[in-house]
Amino acid sequence: MTARENKVHVKAGDIVIAQDEAGHAAYVIESGRVEIMQTSANGETQHLGMRGPGAMVGEMAIIDHGPRSATVRAVEDSVLLEITREDFTRRLGDADPILQMAMHTVLTRFRDLMRRSRILHDLPPFPTAEELERDAIRQPDAIEAIRIANEFGAALHAGEIALHYQPIVNLADGRPVGFESLMRWDRPSKGPLSPSVFIPVIEDSGQIIEASDWVLSEALAALRRIDTGSGRPGDLFMSVNLSAREFTDDHFIDRLLRTVQASGVVPTRIHLEITERLLMVSPEAASAALARCRQAGLHIAIDDFGTGYSSLSYLHAFPIDTLKVDRVFVKDMLRNRNSMELIRSIVALGKNLDMDLIAEGIESAEEAAALRDMGCDMGQGYFFARPMPEDQATTFARENRTVNF
Ligand code: C2E
Ligand code: CA
Ligand code: CA
């Protein structure tokens, strides 16, 4: 067997899991086919079934160190995605508490059942091979998610994850006032994968924490280099996106504050973008984290504003500096009166609460002008600039051009 990035390549005839030996991982079959066999106490080997793409084998290995109850052998050259016990435990540890509790209960019962049936040598009847085949439901989304999560860890360590920086401009003159850092993953053989695809996956797997640690230190280091390279030290801010997972994790906030301190960047130049959903889902944890970040001088921006919960009461309750108007409203503000009025209300609300406003997704001069005339302070979107690599961001900051609209 050869393994790379948690992918295991097996040849026809290879044993993937050996009966009565301890296993350390379960496998999801990406391609190929395996056979499941069981040898009884009297030495008789029984064929239990075949499994193909989408099926999981050796699932109990992610739960306990006990001996495996069957042998799994490749009948064709196959590719398997490995899910180690450590990975599973981490995912479970990160799961919703109700899910954790239910999972533990089910696993305990199942283990107990297995143990008793082994003791009694009276295993429950196994389904037929045909039934197993029929039940091996293909789950393309789940498989894709496991594949992405497995590859992401390796990619982060291999330096395949990069940050691009999208300018945020002053709507009075179109000059840059800051950048938003956005993750980019250009896979060597498969091409780029959008963050809107891989971020939700790594949020679920818990890898977002490690990724965000990296994003933060990289974005701050880049800001220092942009400062020097553009000849405008101290001028621009850097915005970093955070997900619920890390924002409500005390250890993450500890590390974040240490990174900020070690970076030498003035904290008010660092903007943390969080979504309103995050505030609503875990208000206590979010409130504590926000208070700590605010006290350290960091700026807080609410991302995708207007798309989450409609309750506005939290705006008073949290220390928020900036509202980012979601691009869905900007996108059809010129065609749809409701979107226009909604933006007008958000701008008025922000102003009343003494917050800054940034409109996202501005793609035309007309949109930029309408937003400026409504009193929106800042804008971001393809009309001004797309997210760009650091060297181009440095040039953008240095040129500091005005834009007419
Ligand atoms: P977001 O935070 O709302 O980021 C803005 C997204 O809008 C970016 O997509 C950006 O490229 C895109 N955008 C900017 N201007 C325009 C425009 O004029 N028109 C259109 N149609 N789109 C525009 P991107 O880079 O694909 O990122 C997607 C999402 O992935 C982000 O949405 C954010 O939620 C998430 N994301 C990206 N990087 C990170 C990260 O480092 N950490 C976390 N937690 N999330 C990230
Ligand atoms: Ca954002
Ligand atoms: Ca956004």
Side-chain angles (χ1 to χ4, degrees), residues 102-263:
M103 194 76 185
H104 279 299
T105 310
V106 170
L107 293 176
T108 311
R109 290 206 190 161
F110 185 66
R111 222 177 307 192
D112 190 46
L113 190 69
M114 292 282 282
R115 190 177 52 81
R116 277 188 289 150
S117 19
R118 282 175 79 88
I119 290 170
L120 297 174
H121 280 283
D122 184 17
L123 288 162
F126 271 92
T128 64
E130 289 69 31
E131 282 170 334
L132 284 174
E133 277 289 280
R134 203 182 50 224
D135 291 348
I137 314 156
R138 286 166 188 253
Q139 292 172 301
D141 290 351
I143 294 192
E144 189 56 20
I146 295 170
R147 189 182 296 151
I148 289 171
N150 282 348
E151 288 176 7
F152 184 85
L156 188 61
H157 293 126
E160 281 170 27
I161 308 296
L163 288 182
H164 277 198
Y165 304 92
Q166 186 175 30
I168 295 172
V169 307
N170 183 339
L171 281 180
D173 55 13
R175 288 189 161 144
V177 288
F179 291 100
E180 175 175 2
S181 65
L182 294 158
M183 254 193 263
R184 292 290 176 265
W185 181 7
D186 196 2
R187 298 166 303 169
S189 49
K190 288 182 253 173
L193 190 65
S194 165
S196 37
V197 174
F198 71 81
I199 299 272
V201 173
I202 65 168
E203 281 176 354
D204 283 348
S205 73
Q207 291 162 302
I208 187 73
I209 296 206
E210 194 188 353
S212 290
D213 282 337
W214 175 81
V215 166
L216 197 76
S217 57
E218 175 59 18
L220 295 187
L223 183 59
R224 310 261 342 221
R225 293 188 294 262
I226 293 172
D227 275 352
T228 316
S230 66
R232 327 173 32 184
D235 253 13
L236 302 162
F237 66 80
M238 180 61 80
S239 218
V240 174
N241 290 285
L242 295 181
S243 305
R245 179 64 54 96
E246 62 267 23
F247 198 68
T248 50
D249 177 332
D250 279 346
H251 302 298
F252 177 84
I253 302 292
D254 290 341
R255 289 197 300 277
L256 180 147
L257 297 177
R258 278 202 302 272
T259 306
V260 166
Q261 211 172 20
S263 73

Side-chain angles (χ1 to χ4, degrees), residues 303-304 326 360:
D303 204 357
D304 306 339
D326 194 78
E360 300 186 300

Side-chain angles (χ1 to χ4, degrees), residues 65-111:
H65 293 75
R68 309 278 56 93
S69 59
T71 292
V72 176
R73 195 186 59 166
V75 292
E76 296 168 7
D77 291 0
S78 306
V79 180
L80 312 171
L81 301 169
E82 187 181 60
I83 303 160
T84 62
R85 195 178 301 131
E86 292 70 20
D87 184 30
F88 180 75
T89 308
R90 176 164 51 79
R91 285 167 187 259
L92 193 60
D94 287 331
D96 169 278
I98 304 280
L99 202 63
Q100 277 186 36
M101 196 187 281
M103 194 76 185
H104 279 299
T105 310
V106 170
L107 293 176
T108 311
R109 290 206 190 161
F110 185 66
R111 222 177 307 192

